[in-house]
Amino acid sequence: QVPLVESGGGSVQAGGSLRLSCTGSRYTYSSSAMGWFRQAPGKEREGVAAIAIRDGNTEYRDSVKGRFTVSQDNAKTTLYLQMNSLKPEDTAMYYCAAAAFVSSSARLDPRKYNRWGQGTQVTVSS
């Protein structure tokens, strides 16, 4: 399988923006959904945003609604996460992942995803 590769992480001040990208050619051939997840030190990995590949339906965790936007390019080979109004509590390693099949109600559950990237660090300072 072609690996998923994230990029775009970095360090920003609170209120700033970052856009994460995740590439993995032809991930649509074997996946029904793509998601962004994050994990802070000492905490469990949590779902941030997810998108259904075919119809583009999206889900977000409550704490990022209105600030983060997940999208994919027309060729469906690149996944994005636009993060605005970043807060220190958004600091974490961010991962993209692909799920072969996942219901809409479970798209933010990391256990449903079977392909993962290596992660990109996002650090937000106050």
Side-chain angles (χ1 to χ4, degrees), residues 12 16 51 64 84 91 115:
V12 296
I51 185 168
V64 307
N84 299 327
T91 295
R115 291 177 61 197

Side-chain angles (χ1 to χ4, degrees), residues 36-39 43-51 58-70 81 83 87 89-90 92 94 107-110:
W36 285 100
F37 300 83
R38 66 187 182 189
Q39 188 167 19
K43 294 187 177 181
E44 293 186 354
R45 190 167 297 189
E46 61 185 21
V48 175
I51 185 168
T58 57
E59 285 78 39
Y60 298 91
R61 71 180 300 104
D62 288 345
S63 62
V64 307
K65 286 180 180 177
R67 301 189 298 123
F68 290 11
T69 303
V70 60
L81 184 67
M83 305 186 295
K87 304 176 181 180
E89 50 264 43
D90 294 319
Y94 282 70
R107 285 193 191 125
L108 294 181
D109 184 350

Side-chain angles (χ1 to χ4, degrees), residues 82-114:
Q82 179 66 43
M83 305 186 295
N84 299 327
S85 302
L86 283 162
K87 304 176 181 180
E89 50 264 43
D90 294 319
T91 295
M93 185 72 79
Y94 282 70
Y95 302 87
C96 71
F101 175 78
V102 59
S103 63
S104 59
S105 62
R107 285 193 191 125
L108 294 181
D109 184 350
R111 298 171 297 178
K112 302 299 184 182
Y113 288 74
N114 57 308

Side-chain angles (χ1 to χ4, degrees), residues 9-10 17 28 33 74 83 116-117:
S17 298
T28 57
N74 289 337
M83 305 186 295
W116 292 85

Side-chain angles (χ1 to χ4, degrees), residues 4-6 20-24 27 34 36 77-80 96:
L4 300 175
V5 180
E6 303 96 335
L20 306 184
S21 298
C22 172
T23 58
Y27 64 66
M34 296 290 293
W36 285 100
T77 58
T78 303
L79 182 74
Y80 301 101
C96 71

